[in-house]
Amino acid sequence: MKNWTDQLPLYGCLIGIELPDSGFEVTPGVSLRSVFVDMFGTSLLAFAPPPTPKAPHPGPWVPINGGYTFKSRVQVSITDVSSFDGLSPSAVAWLVAAILRLQLSSPVRMAVLAAMPFDKKEVTHEPWPMTFESATHQVGPYRTPSTVASEEDLLWLRTALPVTSRLYHEERFFRAFSVYDQAQWSPTLEIGTVLVWTAIEALFDLGGEREKTKAICRALADYVSDGPSDRDRAFQVIRDMYGKRGSVVHHGARVAPEDAIQSYRLAKVAFRRCIIDGKLPPSPQAAVGHSTKPSSDNAP
């Protein structure tokens, strides 16, 4: 029996982002809409602001399975996934949030999924809304708690979503992007740094290389730079950051926040380039064909 999160329609609350207008169609069947949703206490959703600063939120309230306090101003509606080549609604929801994280300078997350639209302000019984991306930590090159999405940001999502959903079926991309995304929820900078570089190794298919440090530095520098001089500078930075990863793995060293964020930033640029190009970077390994993810698999 299918989980209700993999049935249509599916709705989600995004945090870390606001819309410049009331709504935006990403693709047929996937749209964004401005809403008011506050998670207060530990297990209730409210759909309207308190009348005064010290007053409670007006009803109706809806209970939620698990969660944490948050404020969401954007609803994602998923009503049709026929153009996503077998991806489940929850996988599409994850991709929407993950793609926005590659674009925006704020920590976007899909906080809650529900079988009901949040802008209807109706109390529904089971299934209750459930938390989705609910880790207490979120690490990345973020500069502001929330961003008002620009037209460029929304067009990036519109362009990137179908491309990323196609790449999702490439085993190498799925593994790399999943690990990179998981790194953002790591409880420590050290764990996150190791995961980021694991994702980069997977993206470039460098797991079997003997001189891995040199191979990673060359491949990533070529991929993210804009010319010979820029490539030389990038190579030095990448070598230093990969060295930080090695210190964690081999000596249990600590990672400075600025170094961890630099590693996340390098990975972010690489995955953006992959999506913009619409294809994986060249692999040094012998081509043996591509495997696909079963459609029943959920996003990480």
Side-chain angles (χ1 to χ4, degrees):
M1 180 177 179
K2 278 191 173 183
N3 189 301
W4 66 262
T5 59
D6 289 327
Q7 298 180 12
L8 294 172
L10 185 69
Y11 303 89
C13 283
L14 281 173
I15 63 175
I17 179 175
E18 296 182 36
L19 297 179
D21 299 306
S22 60
F24 179 78
E25 184 182 58
V26 182
T27 63
V30 180
S31 62
L32 307 181
R33 182 178 177 85
S34 294
V35 294
F36 183 100
V37 178
D38 277 3
M39 173 83 174
F40 66 100
T42 57
S43 60
L44 293 173
L45 295 179
F47 305 97
T52 64
K54 294 185 178 181
H57 288 76
W61 300 343
V62 175
I64 181 172
N65 288 320
Y68 55 95
T69 301
F70 69 82
K71 299 178 183 293
S72 172
R73 301 297 177 260
V74 177
Q75 169 181 280
V76 177
S77 302
I78 302 173
T79 57
D80 185 358
V81 293
S82 59
S83 63
F84 291 98
D85 195 19
L87 292 190
S88 65
S90 62
V92 175
W94 169 63
L95 284 179
V96 168
I99 291 167
L100 286 170
R101 285 192 280 271
L102 290 178
Q103 175 70 8
L104 299 180
S105 59
S106 55
V108 175
R109 68 167 73 188
M110 189 72 71
V112 170
L113 294 178
M116 67 170 196
F118 297 98
D119 54 355
K120 295 296 185 182
K121 301 182 182 178
E122 296 175 351
V123 175
T124 62
H125 301 287
E126 293 189 4
W128 291 349
M130 64 177 289
T131 55
F132 190 60
E133 295 178 329
S134 58
T136 56
H137 291 76
Q138 187 169 359
V139 184
Y142 306 127
R143 299 190 299 271
T144 180
S146 186
T147 301
V148 177
S150 66
E151 181 180 1
E152 179 183 357
D153 298 329
L154 297 175
L155 291 177
W156 155 260
L157 176 61
R158 175 180 286 170
T159 301
L161 182 57
V163 175
T164 310
S165 66
R166 176 175 54 80
L167 288 170
Y168 181 102
H169 293 279
E170 297 276 357
E171 177 68 24
R172 178 153 56 107
F173 179 85
F174 177 84
R175 285 188 290 108
F177 196 46
S178 298
V179 172
Y180 166 69
D181 202 67
Q182 285 297 308
Q184 297 174 76
W185 316 112
S186 298
T188 69
L189 294 177
E190 290 74 30
I191 294 174
T193 298
V194 172
L195 287 177
V196 162
W197 286 102
T198 300
I200 292 172
E201 289 180 21
L203 179 65
F204 288 92
D205 202 16
L206 297 172
E209 292 295 296
R210 286 186 178 180
E211 297 183 10
K212 190 173 293 185
T213 298
K214 185 180 294 185
I216 286 176
C217 292
R218 285 178 174 173
L220 186 55
D222 286 342
Y223 203 60
V224 302
S225 59
D226 293 324
S229 60
D230 188 44
R231 183 170 60 247
D232 291 342
R233 289 193 297 270
F235 185 94
Q236 298 299 325
V237 172
I238 293 165
R239 185 176 62 183
D240 290 346
M241 293 304 102
Y242 193 67
K244 305 292 183 183
R245 172 263 181 203
S247 296
V248 173
V249 172
H250 300 298
H251 309 296
R254 301 291 297 272
V255 177
E258 59 271 20
D259 291 334
I261 297 306
Q262 181 63 61
S263 292
Y264 281 86
R265 186 177 292 111
L266 288 166
K268 179 178 180 177
V269 173
F271 281 107
R272 282 180 57 88
R273 163 79 188 274
C274 183
I275 292 169
I276 290 169
D277 289 352
K279 61 183 180 180
L280 288 160
S283 168
Q285 308 300 322
V288 293
H290 300 292
S291 61
T292 60
K293 295 301 297 178
S295 61
S296 60
D297 282 1
N298 289 332

